[in-house]
Amino acid sequence: MASITTRRPAYVSGGRPSSLVGRAFAYFGLCASRQSLSRLDDTMLKDIGITREQALQESRRWDVPRNWRR
């Protein structure tokens, strides 16, 4: 029987990526997630409890989460 394992990206796990390459991949993944948020329709945004304006504001951010800063 085959098992499927998934590895959570560093930007999801809550910790700061340790290597430079890991940080770059995590940052680009974070940017992609933010851009995906901006493409959700109003029904989906309502399901997750945010407005269109909040989604667009989040998609324009270029900073990283506070727990990545040290």
Side-chain angles (χ1 to χ4, degrees):
M1 176 153 98
S3 64
I4 299 174
T5 58
T6 57
R7 186 169 178 202
R8 291 173 47 169
Y11 65 91
V12 175
S13 66
R16 179 180 176 187
S18 57
S19 71
L20 181 60
V21 173
R23 288 180 199 167
F25 276 110
Y27 180 74
F28 289 121
L30 179 63
C31 291
S33 294
R34 287 178 172 165
Q35 289 305 309
S36 295
L37 182 63
S38 72
R39 291 189 295 270
L40 294 178
D41 65 27
D42 290 332
T43 305
M44 292 178 183
L45 292 173
K46 185 177 179 182
D47 284 345
I48 62 174
I50 64 172
T51 65
R52 166 74 46 206
E53 183 56 40
Q54 289 170 320
L56 293 175
Q57 183 179 9
E58 181 68 22
S59 70
R60 291 185 204 115
R61 290 179 58 184
W62 287 96
D63 62 337
V64 296
R66 287 184 188 267
N67 63 337
W68 286 15
R69 302 174 198 159
R70 292 187 186 172

